[in-house]
Amino acid sequence: MYEKLKQQVLPQLIVPGSRVLMAVSGGPDSMALAHILWRYVKEMKEQKITLVITHVHHGVREESDDEEKMVKSMARDWEIPCLIHRFDSKEYAKSVGKSFQTAAREWRYACWKEDMRKENCTLLATAHHLGDQAETVLYRLLRGSGTAGLAGIYPQKGELIRPLLSVTKEDILEYCRNENLPYALDCSNEEPIYARNKIRLQLLPELQREYNPKIVETLGRTAEVLRWDEEYLEEGVRAAWKKFAIFSTEHRVGLRGTIFDLPKAMLSRLIRRAATLVSGEPRGIAFHYVEQVMASQGQVGWSQDLPGLKIEIDYQGVWFQRADWGQYINESAGILSPSLPIDANWGEWIPWRDREGQNWQVGLFSLENEADDEDYPGQCVDKVFFDGQGLIRNGDKLQWRYRRDGDSLWIAGLGHKSLKKVFQDAKVPANQRQEIPLLALENEILWIPGVKRGDRYPLRQGGGAVGVLVKR
Amino acid sequence: MYEKLKQQVLPQLIVPGSRVLMAVSGGPDSMALAHILWRYVKEMKEQKITLVITHVHHGVREESDDEEKMVKSMARDWEIPCLIHRFDSKEYAKSVGKSFQTAAREWRYACWKEDMRKENCTLLATAHHLGDQAETVLYRLLRGSGTAGLAGIYPQKGELIRPLLSVTKEDILEYCRNENLPYALDCSNEEPIYARNKIRLQLLPELQREYNPKIVETLGRTAEVLRWDEEYLEEGVRAAWKKFAIFSTEHRVGLRGTIFDLPKAMLSRLIRRAATLVSGEPRGIAFHYVEQVMASQGQVGWSQDLPGLKIEIDYQGVWFQRADWGQYINESAGILSPSLPIDANWGEWIPWRDREGQNWQVGLFSLENEADDEDYPGQCVDKVFFDGQGLIRNGDKLQWRYRRDGDSLWIAGLGHKSLKKVFQDAKVPANQRQEIPLLALENEILWIPGVKRGDRYPLRQGGGAVGVLVKR
């Protein structure tokens, strides 16, 4: 198992120079993961990969103290920095309106993200294996899912990697035995009360016994090929969005009426994406609502109230807007409202009107879709290039917003320069400064369209992004 | 249920003027199907739809005689022509090397196809319902499948329609009760010995009880959205095939080496499609072989023997050829061999060399991909247009082949004209006539590229196809 991971999997997931945060609970999966990465780093010294361990003490079970000790001792022996967190689970479950499992998972991921920042890690590795994959595929199938859901867990998504995703639980246990690795067993995983546990402990063994002895591998393969399909479909959706979105903020989205001529795979995804953006619900709207919109066949005058949003079709297109959209309209400031930042989704135009009533659009595109002057003859006012990969890796929300106190632009060789100073140097009148949209990563301004860009995330070989400002 | 089918489903599946062959076993599903279509035809007289019933007497069970009587009596009461076939199942199962279920199914479909021709039917309706769909999705998931398989049964595929695919078994039984329809129960369906029966009788009820009371509807919906995705992906494959196939016969396929730069969803499908064409195995090659080819990353010099075919990569591209390819090579006649017709797959070029050593290509494309003179400046020698929908509906294999005795061309207002006469009128020298590829539908020649086309399947409003002959 180790040799296969070393040859085929790890080089794909971990680039030289990476600093990997490993989430280690003390169970066999994460102990094996830690050992495998530690061994890989030692054997591949020239790659200059470094490791950090993070462990969460859940405090629900008596064994938690022992687990913490075990993880700490391993980290000491292997000379890997080890961070320990204490999660007061009972307290937490009471305070938030979510299931304990969901709350705990969200808390852990937030914690790890913080660790990554503190430790300058570039990757987070978790110990999900092929059994988890099979369980996820079945869970989603039983609950109702399309290609995206059945594609299961991804081996890599942004900075998150799952090196053991192609490995069975049996292989992991055998590895632990062969390497004499200690581990703890989490008994709450063994109780078939949660749907997922029931799938793992009852359904999967039954399917293996009665239908297919290799069911875990079979489902893992299905997830893999569906992931390929989903990636292809998503690429199609991105291209279609660029072509058919006439308006896009997190409160209101407009798509051309001609989306109804598209193949159903694209039409249904565009509807879902627009509704997700506007409703703010990460899982979007229920499928039968998507079907309702599709059944309208784009007839002008059609409208429908859905939970949290309203959809209307007029001669311009199909409009998705928040149920409380009215309160975001700001006639004088145009579309981008001073109080509300807008996520800078790639490939989307953000409309914006200046004090003189001029209409503008600003957007961020990936290089292969580079919008250039030919697309907007004489109207492309400013264009800057960024290191798109770097922006993605950073992980903070990239937003369009108006100026706030304390905003600054980072200039190479100079450091942070306040926006006030930048505007003064560029001779932008004071009364206009509040009305120029800014591309921001938290308090760091990356670009003042039409005025100046900062020197963070300069374009690099490989993936790139381009910001464009055009007059309409 | 009936009203929903009448409003939303049947008008989509059955165009006015259709003549529908209904496969009626005498079970509740097909009895309900027959009643629903009979009612629909009566209520929608202006649509001029007509019906024919076909029933297979399987002769395995004692009740078979009673079922035949029941179906016949219903057909008489409703004034629908009724064809009866007798299938000597035991005899048949012995004589062919297939499972009884597979052999019986293949025999039935062959029989129905023959019925359609005799009765001039344009559609074949079977009584598959939502439960069959859920069962199929699970069966394929457990056996291992991608998007294409999990898309399940299609409500319409060519001339085959399944009007009840969105309806549950419960709804069908209720319909039979309400309409006082007699029906027979097939007891062999009740024995959980076959994998599919086990899924229907054990697994589906368990999933419904333990995980999701609406599991049948949930799986049906998953199949539907995966079908949308699969249709989109297939469209992508067709376009990619047109772009990347440099050579395509049923014995040898060549794809450009640049396929390895394509998204995995496309690359894997192109590999599978090429292997399927060449191996003649309708289900293509096993997935791990597809993975092996993908893992080659297109390295020149790579080669691999797979069951029934060999794959080689050279500087020109990736070559898939039958293990016994050698015997089909025919240097003097070029690629298209006199003894072997080649399926006229849409979007594929068939290379062919004439007596003077000139290289030609001939192909059939759908209108939206129309290859025109701009693509082949000065080289497009002949181009004709057909009614693509009509060609698909006909169902016979469309083939490229050389002339055979008895071939004729149908000319409007004149009737069948022998190929000899056509060649004489066109002044094609006798010694060349044997070497011109023909587009044929069984014995009917549709087009003699560069010479003349027949008047069958003239282009109509709606879908079209175009045949193109170019010199290389």
Side-chain angles (χ1 to χ4, degrees):
Chain A
M1 167 176 116
Y2 174 75
E3 280 307 318
K4 195 186 150 206
L5 291 174
K6 181 181 167 183
Q7 302 297 333
Q8 292 170 29
V9 177
L10 299 176
Q12 303 252 351
L13 296 180
I14 309 176
V15 296
S18 295
R19 185 162 172 80
V20 187
L21 182 71
M22 303 185 288
V24 180
S25 70
D29 312 340
S30 60
M31 291 299 279
L33 171 72
H35 188 265
I36 286 164
L37 291 192
W38 170 70
R39 201 169 147 188
Y40 181 70
V41 165
K42 267 199 313 182
E43 292 178 16
M44 311 289 279
K45 274 217 169 63
E46 72 289 358
Q47 297 236 357
K48 299 196 188 309
I49 299 165
T50 56
L51 301 174
V52 181
I53 285 172
T54 182
H55 172 78
V56 174
H57 181 298
H58 270 84
V60 245
R61 293 165 301 113
E62 290 171 12
E63 309 85 347
S64 295
D65 292 337
D66 298 338
E67 288 166 16
E68 181 184 323
K69 254 185 240 158
M70 185 183 68
V71 172
K72 268 180 166 168
S73 128
M74 168 194 74
R76 198 170 43 239
D77 291 350
W78 298 350
E79 298 176 326
I80 302 175
C82 180
L83 309 169
I84 303 283
H85 300 282
R86 206 163 260 274
F87 175 65
D88 189 348
S89 48
K90 280 175 190 156
E91 197 55 33
Y92 203 80
K94 265 182 273 167
S95 66
V96 212
K98 290 172 186 171
S99 82
F100 173 68
Q101 296 220 332
T102 308
R105 192 178 56 242
E106 286 179 3
W107 186 88
R108 282 197 303 271
Y109 275 93
C111 210
W112 294 336
K113 193 157 181 199
E114 194 51 39
D115 288 347
M116 289 184 71
R117 185 180 316 243
K118 272 191 298 207
E119 289 286 333
N120 283 316
C121 293
T122 53
L123 293 172
L124 167 64
T126 65
H128 293 89
H129 55 77
L130 198 59
D132 296 322
Q133 181 70 296
E135 179 190 314
T136 301
V137 171
L138 279 180
Y139 177 72
R140 293 187 181 168
L141 181 84
L142 295 175
R143 212 187 47 182
S145 181
T147 302
L150 298 179
I153 306 169
Y154 279 49
Q156 170 152 43
K157 206 160 200 176
E159 60 198 2
L160 183 59
I161 59 172
R162 275 105 177 199
L164 301 187
L165 199 58
S166 60
V167 172
T168 62
K169 183 82 179 186
E170 290 71 39
D171 288 341
I172 289 175
L173 291 174
E174 197 192 324
Y175 185 84
C176 290
R177 267 197 307 277
N178 291 345
E179 301 294 331
N180 269 318
L181 289 177
Y183 57 79
L185 280 176
D186 180 349
C187 300
S188 75
N189 276 339
E190 305 288 325
E191 292 165 28
I193 42 170
Y194 305 113
R196 292 194 73 117
N197 283 1
K198 218 159 74 176
I199 289 171
R200 181 168 65 255
L201 300 171
Q202 289 174 2
L203 184 56
L204 268 171
E206 180 191 334
L207 296 178
Q208 184 171 34
R209 205 171 50 236
E210 301 267 329
Y211 297 92
N212 179 350
K214 290 272 178 200
I215 186 70
V216 168
E217 289 83 350
T218 297
L219 292 175
R221 171 173 295 171
T222 293
E224 187 178 3
V225 299
L226 264 63
R227 178 160 52 77
W228 299 346
D229 288 354
E230 179 60 18
E231 285 166 356
Y232 180 80
L233 288 155
E234 267 305 303
E235 194 51 49
V237 173
R238 271 191 292 274
W241 188 271
K242 200 192 154 196
K243 199 165 159 195
F244 291 94
I246 46 181
F247 188 92
S248 166
T249 69
E250 65 188 58
H251 311 295
R252 188 160 198 247
V253 166
L255 302 175
R256 288 182 208 285
T258 44
I259 56 169
F260 288 93
D261 302 331
L262 291 173
K264 283 179 172 174
M266 286 299 115
L267 172 59
S268 59
R269 280 177 164 78
L270 288 176
I271 292 170
R272 187 180 289 277
R273 186 172 173 187
T276 304
L277 257 170
V278 170
S279 71
E281 259 299 313
R283 282 179 50 200
I285 54 173
F287 181 71
H288 64 273
Y289 294 129
V290 176
E291 274 185 319
Q292 274 182 27
V293 184
M294 290 171 78
S296 78
Q297 296 182 12
Q299 211 177 338
V300 168
W302 184 91
S303 81
Q304 181 83 41
D305 284 305
L306 301 184
L309 79 157
K310 181 181 180 123
I311 307 182
E312 288 175 310
I313 303 180
D314 66 18
Y315 284 101
Q316 277 189 290
V318 193
W319 298 93
F320 299 72
Q321 52 202 38
R322 267 209 204 178
D324 55 358
W325 151 249
Q327 74 185 77
Y328 298 105
I329 295 178
N330 184 330
E331 289 287 353
S332 68
I335 306 312
L336 195 67
S337 140
S339 57
L340 286 158
I342 291 176
D343 285 359
N345 289 308
W346 292 32
E348 281 171 38
W349 288 111
I350 303 295
W352 147 71
R353 197 187 307 153
D354 70 14
R355 188 169 280 253
E356 278 117 45
Q358 278 267 34
N359 286 314
W360 301 82
Q361 290 185 99
V362 78
L364 200 62
F365 299 88
S366 64
L367 255 191
E368 65 271 23
N369 296 324
E370 180 177 345
D372 58 14
D373 294 350
E374 284 172 35
D375 286 340
Y376 313 96
Q379 298 191 290
C380 181
V381 176
D382 192 9
K383 190 155 71 166
V384 300
F385 293 87
F386 295 104
D387 169 19
Q389 295 298 327
L391 287 178
I392 291 174
R393 258 201 308 277
N394 174 291
D396 276 337
K397 250 193 183 176
L398 204 59
Q399 295 188 313
W400 296 109
R401 62 170 174 80
Y402 288 123
R403 186 183 169 192
R404 286 181 198 153
D405 285 346
D407 280 344
S408 66
L409 202 68
W410 190 83
I411 314 283
L414 191 80
H416 283 95
K417 187 170 175 179
S418 77
L419 244 62
K420 187 176 174 182
K421 198 93 188 60
V422 175
F423 278 130
Q424 281 172 350
D425 291 354
K427 304 198 175 21
V428 177
N431 65 354
Q432 289 177 17
R433 292 177 194 168
Q434 213 54 38
E435 294 171 6
I436 298 175
L438 310 168
L439 182 66
L441 210 50
E442 307 261 310
N443 277 325
E444 172 102 38
I445 305 300
L446 300 179
W447 181 34
I448 314 170
V451 179
K452 190 172 179 61
R453 72 163 286 177
D455 292 324
R456 287 275 198 229
Y457 300 102
L459 187 64
R460 291 197 311 177
Q461 196 72 23
V466 56
V468 194
L469 169 70
V470 294
K471 209 188 301 183
R472 267 201 287 200
Chain B
M1 170 176 112
Y2 174 74
E3 280 308 316
K4 196 186 149 207
L5 291 173
K6 180 181 168 183
Q7 301 297 331
Q8 292 170 28
V9 178
L10 299 177
Q12 304 252 350
L13 296 180
I14 309 177
V15 296
S18 295
R19 185 163 172 81
V20 187
L21 182 72
M22 303 185 288
V24 179
S25 71
D29 312 339
S30 59
M31 290 299 278
L33 171 71
H35 189 265
I36 285 164
L37 290 192
W38 171 68
R39 202 169 148 188
Y40 181 70
V41 166
K42 267 200 312 182
E43 291 178 17
M44 312 289 280
K45 274 216 168 65
E46 72 289 357
Q47 297 235 357
K48 299 196 187 311
I49 299 166
T50 55
L51 301 174
V52 180
I53 285 171
T54 183
H55 172 78
V56 174
H57 181 298
H58 271 84
V60 244
R61 294 166 300 115
E62 291 171 11
E63 308 85 348
S64 294
D65 293 336
D66 298 337
E67 288 166 18
E68 181 184 321
K69 254 183 241 161
M70 185 182 68
V71 172
K72 268 182 167 167
S73 128
M74 169 194 72
R76 199 170 40 239
D77 292 349
W78 298 351
E79 299 177 325
I80 302 174
C82 179
L83 309 169
I84 304 282
H85 299 282
R86 206 161 260 275
F87 176 66
D88 189 348
S89 49
K90 279 173 189 157
E91 197 55 34
Y92 203 81
K94 266 181 272 167
S95 67
V96 211
K98 289 173 187 170
S99 83
F100 172 67
Q101 296 220 331
T102 308
R105 192 178 55 243
E106 286 179 2
W107 186 87
R108 281 196 304 269
Y109 274 94
C111 211
W112 294 336
K113 194 159 180 196
E114 194 51 38
D115 288 347
M116 289 185 71
R117 184 181 316 241
K118 272 192 297 204
E119 290 285 334
N120 283 315
C121 293
T122 52
L123 293 172
L124 168 64
T126 66
H128 293 90
H129 56 76
L130 198 59
D132 297 323
Q133 180 70 295
E135 178 190 315
T136 301
V137 171
L138 279 180
Y139 177 71
R140 293 187 180 167
L141 182 85
L142 294 175
R143 211 186 49 183
S145 182
T147 302
L150 299 179
I153 307 170
Y154 279 48
Q156 170 151 43
K157 206 161 199 176
E159 60 198 2
L160 184 58
I161 59 172
R162 275 104 176 199
L164 302 187
L165 199 59
S166 60
V167 172
T168 63
K169 183 81 179 186
E170 289 70 40
D171 288 341
I172 289 176
L173 292 174
E174 199 192 322
Y175 184 85
C176 289
R177 268 197 308 276
N178 291 344
E179 301 293 330
N180 269 318
L181 290 177
Y183 58 79
L185 281 176
D186 180 349
C187 300
S188 76
N189 277 339
E190 306 288 327
E191 293 165 28
I193 43 170
Y194 305 113
R196 291 193 73 118
N197 282 1
K198 218 159 75 176
I199 289 171
R200 181 168 65 255
L201 300 170
Q202 289 175 0
L203 184 57
L204 267 171
E206 179 190 336
L207 296 177
Q208 184 172 35
R209 205 171 50 237
E210 302 268 330
Y211 296 92
N212 179 350
K214 291 271 178 199
I215 187 70
V216 169
E217 290 83 351
T218 298
L219 292 174
R221 174 173 293 172
T222 293
E224 187 178 3
V225 300
L226 264 64
R227 177 161 51 80
W228 299 346
D229 288 355
E230 180 60 19
E231 284 166 355
Y232 181 81
L233 288 154
E234 267 305 303
E235 194 51 49
V237 173
R238 271 191 292 275
W241 188 270
K242 198 191 157 195
K243 199 165 158 193
F244 291 94
I246 45 182
F247 187 92
S248 166
T249 69
E250 66 189 55
H251 311 295
R252 190 160 197 245
V253 167
L255 302 176
R256 287 182 207 285
T258 44
I259 56 169
F260 289 92
D261 302 330
L262 290 173
K264 284 179 172 173
M266 286 298 114
L267 172 59
S268 60
R269 280 178 165 77
L270 288 177
I271 292 170
R272 188 180 288 276
R273 186 173 173 186
T276 303
L277 256 172
V278 170
S279 71
E281 259 298 312
R283 282 180 49 200
I285 53 174
F287 181 71
H288 65 273
Y289 293 129
V290 176
E291 273 184 320
Q292 274 182 28
V293 184
M294 290 171 78
S296 77
Q297 296 181 14
Q299 212 178 335
V300 169
W302 184 92
S303 80
Q304 182 82 42
D305 285 305
L306 300 184
L309 79 158
K310 182 180 181 124
I311 306 181
E312 288 175 310
I313 304 180
D314 66 18
Y315 285 100
Q316 279 188 287
V318 193
W319 298 94
F320 299 73
Q321 53 202 38
R322 267 207 204 179
D324 56 357
W325 151 249
Q327 74 184 77
Y328 298 106
I329 296 179
N330 185 331
E331 290 287 353
S332 67
I335 305 311
L336 193 68
S337 140
S339 57
L340 285 158
I342 291 176
D343 285 358
N345 289 307
W346 292 32
E348 281 171 38
W349 289 111
I350 303 297
W352 148 71
R353 198 186 307 151
D354 69 15
R355 189 169 279 254
E356 277 117 47
Q358 278 266 36
N359 286 314
W360 301 81
Q361 290 186 98
V362 79
L364 201 61
F365 299 89
S366 64
L367 256 191
E368 66 272 22
N369 295 324
E370 179 175 348
D372 57 14
D373 294 350
E374 283 171 36
D375 286 342
Y376 312 94
Q379 296 191 293
C380 181
V381 177
D382 193 9
K383 190 155 72 165
V384 300
F385 292 88
F386 295 104
D387 170 20
Q389 295 299 327
L391 287 178
I392 291 174
R393 258 202 307 277
N394 176 290
D396 277 336
K397 252 194 184 173
L398 204 58
Q399 295 188 312
W400 295 108
R401 61 169 174 80
Y402 289 124
R403 185 183 172 192
R404 286 181 198 153
D405 286 347
D407 280 342
S408 65
L409 203 68
W410 190 82
I411 313 285
L414 192 80
H416 284 93
K417 186 170 174 180
S418 76
L419 243 63
K420 185 175 175 182
K421 199 90 187 60
V422 175
F423 278 129
Q424 282 174 347
D425 291 353
K427 303 197 176 17
V428 177
N431 64 354
Q432 288 179 18
R433 293 177 193 167
Q434 212 54 37
E435 293 171 6
I436 297 177
L438 310 169
L439 181 66
L441 209 52
E442 306 262 310
N443 277 327
E444 171 102 40
I445 304 302
L446 301 180
W447 181 33
I448 313 169
V451 180
K452 191 170 178 60
R453 71 162 287 177
D455 292 324
R456 287 273 198 229
Y457 301 102
L459 186 63
R460 291 198 310 176
Q461 197 68 25
V466 55
V468 194
L469 170 69
V470 295
K471 211 186 302 183
R472 267 198 286 198

